[in-house]
Amino acid sequence: EITALLSLYGGQFSGEQEIHVNSPFWILNILSEEMARGLMKRTVCAKSIFELWGHGRSAEELYASLKKYPVDKMLPYLQSDSTYKVHIHTFNKTLTQAQKIKKIDALEFLPFKGKVNLKNPEHIFWILEDYGMDPNNVPEEPFHLYFGRWIADGQRELIESYSVKRRHFIGNTSMDACLSFIMANHGRVKPNDVVYDPFVGTGGLLISSAHFGAYVCGTDIDYNTIHGLGKASRKNQKWRGPDENIRANLRQYGLERYYLDALVSDSSRPIWRKGMLFDAIITDPPYGIREATRRMGSQKEGVKSAERSTENHIFVSSNYHLSDIFFDLLKFAAEYLVMGGRLVYWLPIYRPEYTEEIIPRHPCLKLISNCEQMLSSHTSRRLITMEKVKEFKDQDQNSYLLDGQYMPYRGHNSFREKYFSGVTKRIAKEEKDNQK
């Protein structure tokens, strides 16, 4: 998420520090405080950002680093007519109040001239100490120490304010609010973008994009869900109410002006005119576990079932293989995304059999990131982010990546078909076992 936002607002990871996945502190190079604030107005993963004045692997190294920091950069925040306080945060360790005071007193060599104000200071300075990730083996001294001026906090409160628990219209697979915002950030959604979800469901992914000022739309094959009809997913509620729909969700958060529309449509048969229409495609395809994988079919194509909605809307549907879903999704993104636009989606994985070659590829799309969310010891899903880097042409219509080369796609002869069939069956079995 941070990498995506840095590419949107400017900046990069610092070469001063080797980035460890398990480290709670990262050093970034950002050109201005305004850019830093812009980044923190988006992130739900980062807690706070600071102007780094000094750091080291010991207290002595920290103090030496602080003494080298230019005084002219410090002075604007240390004037006699200003107020300040110093806060201490220790990761994986708790300090006594006496220990905290001792560490603060050790900074007396800094030219603080203002008055201490613990309730409402103009400037807040932080001492950050990293004691590692192992709660059963906490060292006496920290692995790394940092000192800096607080600039801004992240947007973690969005997770609670957009919680699915209080959302007006939900379904069985409505996306968690935190993950929705992470997906929007991976897609680098910005004001006035047009964001599309081809498996829109109850529209949970549209909300996070609309929050960042993008115009949102989607399609789904489920007529009842699009129109807010049928059985409710909420406990102790049998049927959906007349005002339960995607528009009502956006209205609940004051985002209705960003809602374009949601249409009943089969994602395997795009309804859009040719051309680059969308700045981002952000979606969670059905895996065939809690939500069926369906597409429009006919008697000749092997009809699975005939279904009738509450509005006498009749259609027949056939099996939509998981490998075909991802192939169609990538082909659609390659054709309809603007150059530089991003596709963000979830890919279900059976961990013991997972390899990188399982990830679907397309010659017009570059893989940007591949992040795992653990579901159980054997199953997970990966958040795949891809960026359009090449104009879509007719020869790109039916191709996929195999052993480093793009080959013609042959439907159910695809090398991924067997794998994804197994993924669906294993995840379904594991869910049933967990329920038992």
Side-chain angles (χ1 to χ4, degrees):
E1 186 206 43
I2 300 299
T3 303
L5 292 176
L6 286 173
S7 69
L8 184 62
Y9 287 95
Q12 60 186 4
F13 286 102
S14 172
E16 292 182 46
Q17 175 193 11
E18 182 184 351
I19 300 301
H20 299 284
V21 173
N22 291 329
S23 173
F25 304 108
W26 287 346
I27 299 178
L28 309 177
N29 286 331
I30 300 178
L31 295 177
S32 69
E33 187 172 318
E34 183 182 358
M35 288 182 177
R37 291 184 185 279
L39 186 150
M40 298 308 288
K41 286 180 180 178
R42 294 286 301 261
T43 177
V44 292
C45 289
K47 187 174 181 180
S48 303
I49 195 165
F50 309 89
E51 181 183 60
L52 185 62
W53 286 14
H55 65 101
R57 297 186 180 278
S58 65
E60 290 71 24
E61 282 190 20
L62 171 63
Y63 303 151
S65 178
L66 282 170
K67 289 173 182 177
K68 292 178 182 178
Y69 192 74
V71 176
D72 59 319
K73 291 185 178 181
M74 292 184 181
L75 289 179
Y77 311 103
L78 307 177
Q79 296 299 314
S80 58
D81 59 348
S82 65
T83 57
Y84 73 95
K85 77 172 180 177
V86 179
H87 188 89
I88 296 181
H89 174 76
T90 53
F91 188 86
N92 197 31
K93 188 170 185 176
T94 302
L95 300 180
T96 65
Q97 190 63 25
Q99 288 173 316
K100 291 180 179 180
I101 292 173
K102 183 178 179 181
K103 290 176 180 290
I104 293 173
D105 289 342
L107 298 173
E108 62 183 1
F109 61 89
L110 292 175
F112 287 108
K113 297 179 181 179
K115 295 181 180 179
V116 174
N117 184 332
L118 299 181
K119 291 186 177 180
N120 188 28
E122 291 179 57
H123 310 297
I124 305 174
F125 301 93
W126 285 62
I127 299 172
L128 307 168
E129 298 186 349
D130 180 7
Y131 287 87
M133 301 291 291
D134 186 358
N136 299 316
N137 187 24
V138 180
E140 281 297 318
E141 298 298 326
F143 294 125
H144 215 104
L145 300 92
Y146 308 86
F147 180 86
R149 178 178 62 89
W150 174 84
I151 295 176
D153 287 335
Q155 301 299 308
R156 296 189 65 80
E157 72 277 0
L158 294 178
I159 299 171
E160 181 63 26
S161 58
Y162 282 85
S163 173
V164 175
K165 295 178 182 178
R166 294 188 296 275
R167 190 167 299 166
H168 194 67
F169 178 47
I170 62 170
N172 294 331
T173 57
S174 292
M175 184 63 67
D176 171 78
C178 178
L179 295 177
S180 296
F181 282 103
I182 289 174
M183 292 177 75
N185 284 331
H186 275 241
R188 299 195 302 187
V189 173
K190 56 189 183 298
N192 299 319
D193 278 355
V194 177
V195 177
Y196 172 65
D197 183 354
F199 304 97
V200 71
T202 56
L205 294 179
L206 302 185
I207 293 171
S208 55
S209 294
H211 174 83
F212 293 134
Y215 293 95
V216 295
C217 58
T219 57
D220 202 286
I221 197 172
D222 192 322
Y223 180 93
N224 287 348
T225 301
I226 289 292
H227 290 277
L229 305 172
K231 292 185 178 180
S233 299
R234 210 178 292 277
K235 189 178 180 181
N236 301 325
Q237 181 182 341
K238 189 171 183 180
W239 301 101
R240 289 184 174 130
D243 60 342
E244 287 191 56
N245 50 57
I246 296 173
R247 183 184 292 275
N249 275 352
L250 289 157
R251 186 186 303 123
Q252 177 182 350
Y253 300 111
L255 302 171
E256 186 178 3
R257 65 186 180 279
Y258 296 113
Y259 181 54
L260 297 178
D261 210 343
L263 310 174
V264 180
S265 171
D266 179 1
S267 65
S268 69
R269 302 180 180 183
I271 58 175
W272 308 98
R273 62 174 171 82
K274 298 295 182 182
M276 296 183 287
L277 304 177
F278 306 114
D279 297 284
I281 297 172
I282 299 175
T283 190
D284 181 28
Y287 314 142
I289 311 300
R290 295 180 186 175
E291 296 289 345
T293 54
R294 299 181 298 164
R295 64 177 168 189
M296 301 300 291
S298 67
Q299 297 296 334
K300 292 182 180 180
E301 293 169 344
V303 174
K304 180 182 178 184
S305 64
E307 301 185 7
R308 181 186 298 269
S309 81
T310 54
E311 293 292 318
N312 296 323
H313 176 81
I314 302 172
F315 68 88
V316 291
S317 64
S318 62
N319 284 324
Y320 194 10
H321 197 278
L322 205 56
S323 61
D324 291 335
I325 288 177
F326 294 120
F327 169 74
D328 289 340
L329 178 62
L330 264 65
K331 183 175 67 173
F332 180 88
E335 186 169 1
Y336 289 96
L337 277 175
V338 301
M339 286 298 296
R342 288 194 168 188
L343 166 67
V344 183
Y345 70 96
W346 288 100
L347 183 73
I349 292 298
Y350 183 64
R351 301 186 77 234
E353 297 179 5
Y354 169 74
T355 61
E356 287 288 333
E357 71 172 7
I358 294 302
I359 300 171
R361 305 290 182 95
H362 192 281
C364 296
L365 302 173
K366 176 184 176 182
L367 180 65
I368 299 298
S369 64
N370 172 8
C371 308
E372 184 179 28
Q373 182 197 21
M374 293 282 291
L375 300 177
S376 72
S377 59
H378 289 86
T379 60
S380 67
R381 59 180 179 176
R382 289 183 171 265
L383 184 59
I384 306 298
T385 303
M386 310 185 87
E387 186 172 311
K388 184 171 179 178
V389 295
K390 175 187 169 187
E391 292 282 356
F392 182 85
K393 297 181 180 178
D394 290 340
Q395 58 263 36
D396 300 319
Q397 187 74 21
N398 296 295
S399 60
Y400 71 96
L401 187 68
L402 177 60
D403 296 331
Q405 293 184 336
Y406 288 98
M407 310 292 289
Y409 180 79
R410 297 182 177 87
H412 291 294
N413 292 324
S414 166
F415 78 107
R416 294 188 182 89
E417 179 189 7
K418 184 177 179 181
Y419 174 83
F420 284 120
S421 292
V423 167
T424 305
K425 292 175 183 176
R426 289 184 181 95
I427 294 176
K429 183 179 182 300
E430 196 154 313
E431 284 205 351
K432 288 181 181 178
D433 292 342
N434 290 338
Q435 288 173 357
K436 291 179 183 178

PDB file of all heavy atoms in Angstrom, residues 277-306:
ATOM      1  N   LEU A 277     -11.829   2.989 -21.075  1.00  0.00           N
ATOM      2  CA  LEU A 277     -12.886   3.681 -20.343  1.00  0.00           C
ATOM      3  C   LEU A 277     -12.574   3.898 -18.871  1.00  0.00           C
ATOM      4  O   LEU A 277     -13.043   4.865 -18.276  1.00  0.00           O
ATOM      5  CB  LEU A 277     -14.186   2.874 -20.434  1.00  0.00           C
ATOM      6  CG  LEU A 277     -14.720   2.547 -21.832  1.00  0.00           C
ATOM      7  CD1 LEU A 277     -15.964   1.681 -21.722  1.00  0.00           C
ATOM      8  CD2 LEU A 277     -15.030   3.823 -22.582  1.00  0.00           C
ATOM      9  N   PHE A 278     -11.806   3.008 -18.247  1.00  0.00           N
ATOM     10  CA  PHE A 278     -11.693   2.994 -16.791  1.00  0.00           C
ATOM     11  C   PHE A 278     -10.266   3.294 -16.327  1.00  0.00           C
ATOM     12  O   PHE A 278      -9.289   2.812 -16.898  1.00  0.00           O
ATOM     13  CB  PHE A 278     -12.134   1.640 -16.244  1.00  0.00           C
ATOM     14  CG  PHE A 278     -13.510   1.235 -16.707  1.00  0.00           C
ATOM     15  CD1 PHE A 278     -13.692   0.136 -17.532  1.00  0.00           C
ATOM     16  CD2 PHE A 278     -14.623   1.973 -16.331  1.00  0.00           C
ATOM     17  CE1 PHE A 278     -14.954  -0.230 -17.970  1.00  0.00           C
ATOM     18  CE2 PHE A 278     -15.891   1.617 -16.757  1.00  0.00           C
ATOM     19  CZ  PHE A 278     -16.057   0.520 -17.588  1.00  0.00           C
ATOM     20  N   ASP A 279     -10.172   4.083 -15.258  1.00  0.00           N
ATOM     21  CA  ASP A 279      -8.875   4.386 -14.654  1.00  0.00           C
ATOM     22  C   ASP A 279      -8.407   3.270 -13.738  1.00  0.00           C
ATOM     23  O   ASP A 279      -7.206   3.101 -13.511  1.00  0.00           O
ATOM     24  CB  ASP A 279      -8.965   5.697 -13.861  1.00  0.00           C
ATOM     25  CG  ASP A 279      -9.299   6.875 -14.759  1.00  0.00           C
ATOM     26  OD1 ASP A 279      -8.397   7.336 -15.478  1.00  0.00           O
ATOM     27  OD2 ASP A 279     -10.460   7.320 -14.746  1.00  0.00           O
ATOM     28  N   ALA A 280      -9.356   2.523 -13.187  1.00  0.00           N
ATOM     29  CA  ALA A 280      -9.012   1.390 -12.328  1.00  0.00           C
ATOM     30  C   ALA A 280     -10.148   0.381 -12.358  1.00  0.00           C
ATOM     31  O   ALA A 280     -11.321   0.755 -12.477  1.00  0.00           O
ATOM     32  CB  ALA A 280      -8.742   1.841 -10.900  1.00  0.00           C
ATOM     33  N   ILE A 281      -9.780  -0.899 -12.280  1.00  0.00           N
ATOM     34  CA  ILE A 281     -10.746  -1.985 -12.127  1.00  0.00           C
ATOM     35  C   ILE A 281     -10.393  -2.681 -10.819  1.00  0.00           C
ATOM     36  O   ILE A 281      -9.309  -3.249 -10.678  1.00  0.00           O
ATOM     37  CB  ILE A 281     -10.689  -2.973 -13.305  1.00  0.00           C
ATOM     38  CG1 ILE A 281     -11.079  -2.257 -14.608  1.00  0.00           C
ATOM     39  CG2 ILE A 281     -11.603  -4.165 -13.055  1.00  0.00           C
ATOM     40  CD1 ILE A 281     -10.873  -3.093 -15.855  1.00  0.00           C
ATOM     41  N   ILE A 282     -11.288  -2.609  -9.841  1.00  0.00           N
ATOM     42  CA  ILE A 282     -11.046  -3.150  -8.510  1.00  0.00           C
ATOM     43  C   ILE A 282     -12.169  -4.115  -8.195  1.00  0.00           C
ATOM     44  O   ILE A 282     -13.342  -3.721  -8.183  1.00  0.00           O
ATOM     45  CB  ILE A 282     -10.976  -2.013  -7.467  1.00  0.00           C
ATOM     46  CG1 ILE A 282      -9.825  -1.064  -7.819  1.00  0.00           C
ATOM     47  CG2 ILE A 282     -10.809  -2.570  -6.065  1.00  0.00           C
ATOM     48  CD1 ILE A 282      -9.732   0.146  -6.929  1.00  0.00           C
ATOM     49  N   THR A 283     -11.825  -5.391  -7.941  1.00  0.00           N
ATOM     50  CA  THR A 283     -12.881  -6.385  -7.846  1.00  0.00           C
ATOM     51  C   THR A 283     -12.469  -7.578  -6.999  1.00  0.00           C
ATOM     52  O   THR A 283     -11.278  -7.812  -6.747  1.00  0.00           O
ATOM     53  CB  THR A 283     -13.277  -6.855  -9.270  1.00  0.00           C
ATOM     54  OG1 THR A 283     -14.461  -7.638  -9.192  1.00  0.00           O
ATOM     55  CG2 THR A 283     -12.148  -7.659  -9.923  1.00  0.00           C
ATOM     56  N   ASP A 284     -13.460  -8.325  -6.568  1.00  0.00           N
ATOM     57  CA  ASP A 284     -13.266  -9.579  -5.840  1.00  0.00           C
ATOM     58  C   ASP A 284     -14.089 -10.645  -6.551  1.00  0.00           C
ATOM     59  O   ASP A 284     -15.272 -10.824  -6.239  1.00  0.00           O
ATOM     60  CB  ASP A 284     -13.715  -9.413  -4.383  1.00  0.00           C
ATOM     61  CG  ASP A 284     -13.505 -10.684  -3.570  1.00  0.00           C
ATOM     62  OD1 ASP A 284     -12.594 -11.466  -3.913  1.00  0.00           O
ATOM     63  OD2 ASP A 284     -14.246 -10.898  -2.584  1.00  0.00           O
ATOM     64  N   PRO A 285     -13.496 -11.368  -7.516  1.00  0.00           N
ATOM     65  CA  PRO A 285     -14.267 -12.360  -8.279  1.00  0.00           C
ATOM     66  C   PRO A 285     -14.813 -13.461  -7.374  1.00  0.00           C
ATOM     67  O   PRO A 285     -14.213 -13.779  -6.336  1.00  0.00           O
ATOM     68  CB  PRO A 285     -13.228 -12.931  -9.263  1.00  0.00           C
ATOM     69  CG  PRO A 285     -12.143 -11.913  -9.314  1.00  0.00           C
ATOM     70  CD  PRO A 285     -12.102 -11.302  -7.953  1.00  0.00           C
ATOM     71  N   PRO A 286     -15.948 -14.078  -7.738  1.00  0.00           N
ATOM     72  CA  PRO A 286     -16.487 -15.193  -6.944  1.00  0.00           C
ATOM     73  C   PRO A 286     -15.601 -16.428  -7.110  1.00  0.00           C
ATOM     74  O   PRO A 286     -15.070 -16.684  -8.192  1.00  0.00           O
ATOM     75  CB  PRO A 286     -17.873 -15.415  -7.558  1.00  0.00           C
ATOM     76  CG  PRO A 286     -17.745 -14.917  -8.973  1.00  0.00           C
ATOM     77  CD  PRO A 286     -16.788 -13.765  -8.916  1.00  0.00           C
ATOM     78  N   TYR A 287     -15.424 -17.173  -6.018  1.00  0.00           N
ATOM     79  CA  TYR A 287     -14.571 -18.360  -6.064  1.00  0.00           C
ATOM     80  C   TYR A 287     -15.377 -19.647  -6.152  1.00  0.00           C
ATOM     81  O   TYR A 287     -14.804 -20.728  -6.222  1.00  0.00           O
ATOM     82  CB  TYR A 287     -13.683 -18.441  -4.818  1.00  0.00           C
ATOM     83  CG  TYR A 287     -12.997 -17.165  -4.433  1.00  0.00           C
ATOM     84  CD1 TYR A 287     -12.853 -16.816  -3.095  1.00  0.00           C
ATOM     85  CD2 TYR A 287     -12.499 -16.295  -5.397  1.00  0.00           C
ATOM     86  CE1 TYR A 287     -12.230 -15.644  -2.719  1.00  0.00           C
ATOM     87  CE2 TYR A 287     -11.879 -15.113  -5.040  1.00  0.00           C
ATOM     88  CZ  TYR A 287     -11.748 -14.791  -3.699  1.00  0.00           C
ATOM     89  OH  TYR A 287     -11.139 -13.620  -3.340  1.00  0.00           O
ATOM     90  N   GLY A 288     -16.714 -19.540  -6.084  1.00  0.00           N
ATOM     91  CA  GLY A 288     -17.537 -20.739  -6.116  1.00  0.00           C
ATOM     92  C   GLY A 288     -17.719 -21.365  -4.749  1.00  0.00           C
ATOM     93  O   GLY A 288     -18.141 -22.508  -4.641  1.00  0.00           O
ATOM     94  N   ILE A 289     -17.375 -20.617  -3.663  1.00  0.00           N
ATOM     95  CA  ILE A 289     -17.527 -21.154  -2.316  1.00  0.00           C
ATOM     96  C   ILE A 289     -18.816 -20.598  -1.715  1.00  0.00           C
ATOM     97  O   ILE A 289     -19.815 -21.291  -1.619  1.00  0.00           O
ATOM     98  CB  ILE A 289     -16.322 -20.784  -1.429  1.00  0.00           C
ATOM     99  CG1 ILE A 289     -15.015 -21.108  -2.149  1.00  0.00           C
ATOM    100  CG2 ILE A 289     -16.408 -21.517  -0.087  1.00  0.00           C
ATOM    101  CD1 ILE A 289     -14.851 -22.557  -2.514  1.00  0.00           C
ATOM    102  N   ARG A 290     -18.813 -19.334  -1.335  1.00  0.00           N
ATOM    103  CA  ARG A 290     -20.031 -18.708  -0.809  1.00  0.00           C
ATOM    104  C   ARG A 290     -20.870 -18.090  -1.919  1.00  0.00           C
ATOM    105  O   ARG A 290     -22.054 -17.886  -1.779  1.00  0.00           O
ATOM    106  CB  ARG A 290     -19.654 -17.636   0.212  1.00  0.00           C
ATOM    107  CG  ARG A 290     -18.974 -18.186   1.446  1.00  0.00           C
ATOM    108  CD  ARG A 290     -18.641 -17.066   2.399  1.00  0.00           C
ATOM    109  NE  ARG A 290     -17.852 -17.550   3.538  1.00  0.00           N
ATOM    110  CZ  ARG A 290     -17.351 -16.763   4.460  1.00  0.00           C
ATOM    111  NH1 ARG A 290     -17.527 -15.454   4.385  1.00  0.00           N
ATOM    112  NH2 ARG A 290     -16.643 -17.257   5.460  1.00  0.00           N
ATOM    113  N   GLU A 291     -20.221 -17.712  -3.004  1.00  0.00           N
ATOM    114  CA  GLU A 291     -20.928 -17.146  -4.153  1.00  0.00           C
ATOM    115  C   GLU A 291     -20.668 -18.030  -5.368  1.00  0.00           C
ATOM    116  O   GLU A 291     -19.525 -18.404  -5.635  1.00  0.00           O
ATOM    117  CB  GLU A 291     -20.446 -15.718  -4.437  1.00  0.00           C
ATOM    118  CG  GLU A 291     -20.750 -14.723  -3.316  1.00  0.00           C
ATOM    119  CD  GLU A 291     -22.225 -14.387  -3.218  1.00  0.00           C
ATOM    120  OE1 GLU A 291     -22.970 -14.687  -4.181  1.00  0.00           O
ATOM    121  OE2 GLU A 291     -22.647 -13.835  -2.190  1.00  0.00           O
ATOM    122  N   ALA A 292     -21.739 -18.361  -6.088  1.00  0.00           N
ATOM    123  CA  ALA A 292     -21.591 -19.234  -7.254  1.00  0.00           C
ATOM    124  C   ALA A 292     -20.869 -18.519  -8.388  1.00  0.00           C
ATOM    125  O   ALA A 292     -20.968 -17.306  -8.544  1.00  0.00           O
ATOM    126  CB  ALA A 292     -22.974 -19.688  -7.721  1.00  0.00           C
ATOM    127  N   THR A 293     -20.115 -19.302  -9.176  1.00  0.00           N
ATOM    128  CA  THR A 293     -19.475 -18.757 -10.383  1.00  0.00           C
ATOM    129  C   THR A 293     -20.376 -19.087 -11.561  1.00  0.00           C
ATOM    130  O   THR A 293     -20.518 -20.247 -11.946  1.00  0.00           O
ATOM    131  CB  THR A 293     -18.080 -19.387 -10.588  1.00  0.00           C
ATOM    132  OG1 THR A 293     -18.212 -20.816 -10.590  1.00  0.00           O
ATOM    133  CG2 THR A 293     -17.144 -18.993  -9.472  1.00  0.00           C
ATOM    134  N   ARG A 294     -20.997 -18.058 -12.124  1.00  0.00           N
ATOM    135  CA  ARG A 294     -21.977 -18.271 -13.184  1.00  0.00           C
ATOM    136  C   ARG A 294     -21.728 -17.333 -14.352  1.00  0.00           C
ATOM    137  O   ARG A 294     -21.176 -16.250 -14.192  1.00  0.00           O
ATOM    138  CB  ARG A 294     -23.396 -18.014 -12.663  1.00  0.00           C
ATOM    139  CG  ARG A 294     -23.839 -18.912 -11.540  1.00  0.00           C
ATOM    140  CD  ARG A 294     -25.261 -18.576 -11.142  1.00  0.00           C
ATOM    141  NE  ARG A 294     -25.378 -17.208 -10.658  1.00  0.00           N
ATOM    142  CZ  ARG A 294     -26.535 -16.562 -10.534  1.00  0.00           C
ATOM    143  NH1 ARG A 294     -27.650 -17.130 -10.928  1.00  0.00           N
ATOM    144  NH2 ARG A 294     -26.566 -15.339 -10.061  1.00  0.00           N
ATOM    145  N   ARG A 295     -22.148 -17.784 -15.518  1.00  0.00           N
ATOM    146  CA  ARG A 295     -22.206 -16.910 -16.688  1.00  0.00           C
ATOM    147  C   ARG A 295     -23.406 -17.317 -17.519  1.00  0.00           C
ATOM    148  O   ARG A 295     -23.976 -18.389 -17.345  1.00  0.00           O
ATOM    149  CB  ARG A 295     -20.922 -17.005 -17.507  1.00  0.00           C
ATOM    150  CG  ARG A 295     -20.623 -18.357 -18.129  1.00  0.00           C
ATOM    151  CD  ARG A 295     -19.375 -18.257 -18.970  1.00  0.00           C
ATOM    152  NE  ARG A 295     -18.877 -19.567 -19.353  1.00  0.00           N
ATOM    153  CZ  ARG A 295     -17.703 -19.755 -19.939  1.00  0.00           C
ATOM    154  NH1 ARG A 295     -16.924 -18.719 -20.195  1.00  0.00           N
ATOM    155  NH2 ARG A 295     -17.293 -20.963 -20.261  1.00  0.00           N
ATOM    156  N   MET A 296     -23.788 -16.440 -18.442  1.00  0.00           N
ATOM    157  CA  MET A 296     -24.944 -16.711 -19.275  1.00  0.00           C
ATOM    158  C   MET A 296     -24.665 -17.914 -20.152  1.00  0.00           C
ATOM    159  O   MET A 296     -23.571 -18.086 -20.683  1.00  0.00           O
ATOM    160  CB  MET A 296     -25.274 -15.503 -20.151  1.00  0.00           C
ATOM    161  CG  MET A 296     -25.575 -14.239 -19.360  1.00  0.00           C
ATOM    162  SD  MET A 296     -26.971 -14.419 -18.248  1.00  0.00           S
ATOM    163  CE  MET A 296     -28.298 -14.539 -19.431  1.00  0.00           C
ATOM    164  N   GLY A 297     -25.675 -18.792 -20.308  1.00  0.00           N
ATOM    165  CA  GLY A 297     -25.491 -19.994 -21.113  1.00  0.00           C
ATOM    166  C   GLY A 297     -26.730 -20.301 -21.920  1.00  0.00           C
ATOM    167  O   GLY A 297     -27.733 -19.599 -21.868  1.00  0.00           O
ATOM    168  N   SER A 298     -26.658 -21.393 -22.664  1.00  0.00           N
ATOM    169  CA  SER A 298     -27.791 -21.856 -23.450  1.00  0.00           C
ATOM    170  C   SER A 298     -27.852 -23.372 -23.327  1.00  0.00           C
ATOM    171  O   SER A 298     -26.972 -24.005 -22.752  1.00  0.00           O
ATOM    172  CB  SER A 298     -27.627 -21.454 -24.916  1.00  0.00           C
ATOM    173  OG  SER A 298     -26.539 -22.149 -25.499  1.00  0.00           O
ATOM    174  N   GLN A 299     -28.871 -23.969 -23.880  1.00  0.00           N
ATOM    175  CA  GLN A 299     -28.988 -25.424 -23.837  1.00  0.00           C
ATOM    176  C   GLN A 299     -27.786 -26.089 -24.496  1.00  0.00           C
ATOM    177  O   GLN A 299     -27.268 -27.082 -24.023  1.00  0.00           O
ATOM    178  CB  GLN A 299     -30.285 -25.851 -24.550  1.00  0.00           C
ATOM    179  CG  GLN A 299     -31.560 -25.332 -23.887  1.00  0.00           C
ATOM    180  CD  GLN A 299     -31.757 -25.901 -22.492  1.00  0.00           C
ATOM    181  OE1 GLN A 299     -31.270 -26.983 -22.186  1.00  0.00           O
ATOM    182  NE2 GLN A 299     -32.463 -25.164 -21.652  1.00  0.00           N
ATOM    183  N   LYS A 300     -27.288 -25.524 -25.582  1.00  0.00           N
ATOM    184  CA  LYS A 300     -26.159 -26.108 -26.302  1.00  0.00           C
ATOM    185  C   LYS A 300     -24.870 -26.004 -25.496  1.00  0.00           C
ATOM    186  O   LYS A 300     -23.978 -26.804 -25.632  1.00  0.00           O
ATOM    187  CB  LYS A 300     -25.985 -25.412 -27.654  1.00  0.00           C
ATOM    188  CG  LYS A 300     -27.108 -25.688 -28.641  1.00  0.00           C
ATOM    189  CD  LYS A 300     -26.831 -25.010 -29.965  1.00  0.00           C
ATOM    190  CE  LYS A 300     -27.946 -25.295 -30.958  1.00  0.00           C
ATOM    191  NZ  LYS A 300     -27.693 -24.628 -32.270  1.00  0.00           N
ATOM    192  N   GLU A 301     -24.760 -24.951 -24.669  1.00  0.00           N
ATOM    193  CA  GLU A 301     -23.538 -24.737 -23.911  1.00  0.00           C
ATOM    194  C   GLU A 301     -23.531 -25.500 -22.591  1.00  0.00           C
ATOM    195  O   GLU A 301     -22.601 -25.381 -21.799  1.00  0.00           O
ATOM    196  CB  GLU A 301     -23.357 -23.229 -23.632  1.00  0.00           C
ATOM    197  CG  GLU A 301     -23.085 -22.436 -24.892  1.00  0.00           C
ATOM    198  CD  GLU A 301     -23.176 -20.942 -24.629  1.00  0.00           C
ATOM    199  OE1 GLU A 301     -23.740 -20.567 -23.580  1.00  0.00           O
ATOM    200  OE2 GLU A 301     -22.696 -20.166 -25.460  1.00  0.00           O
ATOM    201  N   GLY A 302     -24.559 -26.300 -22.348  1.00  0.00           N
ATOM    202  CA  GLY A 302     -24.581 -27.075 -21.105  1.00  0.00           C
ATOM    203  C   GLY A 302     -25.220 -26.288 -19.988  1.00  0.00           C
ATOM    204  O   GLY A 302     -24.549 -25.764 -19.127  1.00  0.00           O
ATOM    205  N   VAL A 303     -26.533 -26.230 -19.996  1.00  0.00           N
ATOM    206  CA  VAL A 303     -27.246 -25.423 -19.012  1.00  0.00           C
ATOM    207  C   VAL A 303     -27.136 -26.053 -17.633  1.00  0.00           C
ATOM    208  O   VAL A 303     -27.337 -27.243 -17.460  1.00  0.00           O
ATOM    209  CB  VAL A 303     -28.728 -25.297 -19.412  1.00  0.00           C
ATOM    210  CG1 VAL A 303     -29.509 -24.573 -18.326  1.00  0.00           C
ATOM    211  CG2 VAL A 303     -28.835 -24.581 -20.736  1.00  0.00           C
ATOM    212  N   LYS A 304     -26.795 -25.245 -16.680  1.00  0.00           N
ATOM    213  CA  LYS A 304     -26.720 -25.714 -15.292  1.00  0.00           C
ATOM    214  C   LYS A 304     -28.072 -25.598 -14.614  1.00  0.00           C
ATOM    215  O   LYS A 304     -28.531 -26.506 -13.943  1.00  0.00           O
ATOM    216  CB  LYS A 304     -25.678 -24.912 -14.514  1.00  0.00           C
ATOM    217  CG  LYS A 304     -25.562 -25.344 -13.064  1.00  0.00           C
ATOM    218  CD  LYS A 304     -24.559 -24.476 -12.343  1.00  0.00           C
ATOM    219  CE  LYS A 304     -24.472 -24.874 -10.876  1.00  0.00           C
ATOM    220  NZ  LYS A 304     -23.570 -23.999 -10.131  1.00  0.00           N
ATOM    221  N   SER A 305     -28.706 -24.441 -14.796  1.00  0.00           N
ATOM    222  CA  SER A 305     -30.007 -24.233 -14.155  1.00  0.00           C
ATOM    223  C   SER A 305     -30.727 -23.091 -14.828  1.00  0.00           C
ATOM    224  O   SER A 305     -30.130 -22.286 -15.525  1.00  0.00           O
ATOM    225  CB  SER A 305     -29.831 -23.930 -12.666  1.00  0.00           C
ATOM    226  OG  SER A 305     -29.133 -22.720 -12.521  1.00  0.00           O
ATOM    227  N   ALA A 306     -32.012 -23.062 -14.621  1.00  0.00           N
ATOM    228  CA  ALA A 306     -32.809 -21.914 -15.069  1.00  0.00           C
ATOM    229  C   ALA A 306     -33.328 -21.219 -13.825  1.00  0.00           C
ATOM    230  O   ALA A 306     -33.848 -21.859 -12.923  1.00  0.00           O
ATOM    231  CB  ALA A 306     -33.967 -22.381 -15.943  1.00  0.00           C
TER     232      ALA A 306
END
